[in-house]
Amino acid sequence: MTTRINTFLLDVGQVLVALDYPAALRSVMRYTQLPGEEISKRMSGNQAVLLYESGKLPTQKFYEITCRLLEMQVSLEDFKRGWGDMFALQTPEGQCISATLFRELKRSYRVVALSNTNEMHWEYLESVFPLIHEFDDYILSFRVGTMKPDPVIYRAALNCAGCAPAEAFFIDDLPVNIQAAEELGIKGILYQGEAQLRADLLRLGLLEPTARL
């Protein structure tokens, strides 16, 4: 690389924190008579999720829409707790980026969260996942008003970090998001587990060879 990388843009879900969709489904089933298959079907076509993650629906409205859609009888507070069950905070070693590798990156780079997320999920992570507070800054879809792979959110991340596209390195678990970043001149790599990421960063000269997990 001819231009020195000074900023890492990190996705959060499935990169720093694992997602547990079955656990989230079980939480919903506590408050509705609908079978799991029907819940999944209705949620897959629920445009309110995209609007909520884009910051175009307030939490109260999203809660009301989802309760009607899934025929749920649940308080807002219990709904929030169940919504947070999507995150698996205890995962097998190497599935997500560890605190060790995260802090190795922090020693040499500015590290910015670049995540499609929503207000409830983010508030939950802030309350239970201490590492989330160690980012240098945050570009979150519900705050920016749009989601990856929209170029707008990548430009917002570059502006936030104060860097050029060639000075940023993006890690995400979805190929479409990597492609969108690279079309803007941001080097990206698909996350496929911590061991593979470490090997890739060493190969690219972005991590010290002496670093250990």
Side-chain angles (χ1 to χ4, degrees):
M1 295 183 180
T2 56
T3 302
R4 185 182 183 279
I5 299 295
N6 58 41
T7 300
F8 267 70
L9 307 175
L10 292 189
D11 184 26
V12 175
Q14 301 290 58
V15 174
L16 198 64
V17 185
L19 302 181
D20 188 344
Y21 294 104
L25 180 61
R26 289 192 296 272
S27 293
V28 170
M29 291 178 70
R30 293 200 297 264
Y31 304 108
T32 179
Q33 297 300 311
L34 295 176
E37 184 177 342
E38 180 63 20
I39 292 169
S40 298
K41 179 181 177 181
R42 294 189 186 190
M43 286 302 291
S44 67
N46 184 9
Q47 290 300 306
V49 174
L50 298 180
L51 292 173
Y52 188 45
E53 296 222 332
S54 299
K56 295 177 172 64
L57 274 182
T59 293
Q60 179 68 33
K61 189 67 174 177
F62 176 73
Y63 156 71
E64 293 170 358
I65 290 171
T66 304
C67 283
R68 287 196 299 271
L69 179 70
L70 301 182
E71 302 173 27
M72 297 172 68
Q73 298 293 325
V74 59
S75 69
L76 177 57
E77 289 309 307
D78 285 340
F79 183 86
K80 286 182 177 181
R81 279 190 286 271
W83 196 246
D85 285 345
M86 181 173 290
F87 295 104
L89 301 179
Q90 301 296 325
T91 57
E93 183 177 350
Q95 180 175 336
C96 293
I97 292 176
S98 65
T100 299
L101 179 54
F102 182 89
R103 289 166 184 154
E104 284 180 40
L105 294 175
K106 284 265 297 178
R107 285 198 291 269
S108 300
Y109 307 98
R110 181 175 176 82
V111 182
V112 177
L114 177 52
S115 178
N116 287 346
T117 188
N118 56 71
E119 184 179 48
M120 275 192 292
H121 275 165
W122 197 253
E123 287 179 352
Y124 177 80
L125 284 177
E126 287 182 321
S127 70
V128 300
F129 192 62
L131 194 63
I132 212 77
H133 298 282
E134 297 187 27
F135 280 99
D136 292 299
D137 221 322
Y138 306 86
I139 296 297
L140 310 175
S141 60
F142 76 95
R143 293 178 182 168
V144 176
T146 190
M147 300 170 64
K148 297 175 291 185
D150 186 342
V152 170
I153 198 168
Y154 298 96
R155 294 191 183 105
L158 295 175
N159 289 338
C160 173
C163 69
E167 296 173 320
F169 193 89
F170 177 49
I171 300 170
D172 197 282
D173 67 308
L174 296 179
V176 65
N177 293 341
I178 297 295
Q179 180 181 346
E182 292 186 333
E183 287 173 357
L184 293 174
I186 302 169
K187 175 67 177 177
I189 199 164
L190 185 68
Y191 185 74
Q192 300 178 83
E194 184 174 50
Q196 183 62 54
L197 175 62
R198 181 176 285 275
D200 290 336
L201 295 180
L202 286 168
R203 174 176 53 82
L204 293 168
L206 295 174
L207 200 64
E208 290 296 325
T210 55
R212 292 287 184 268
L213 280 172

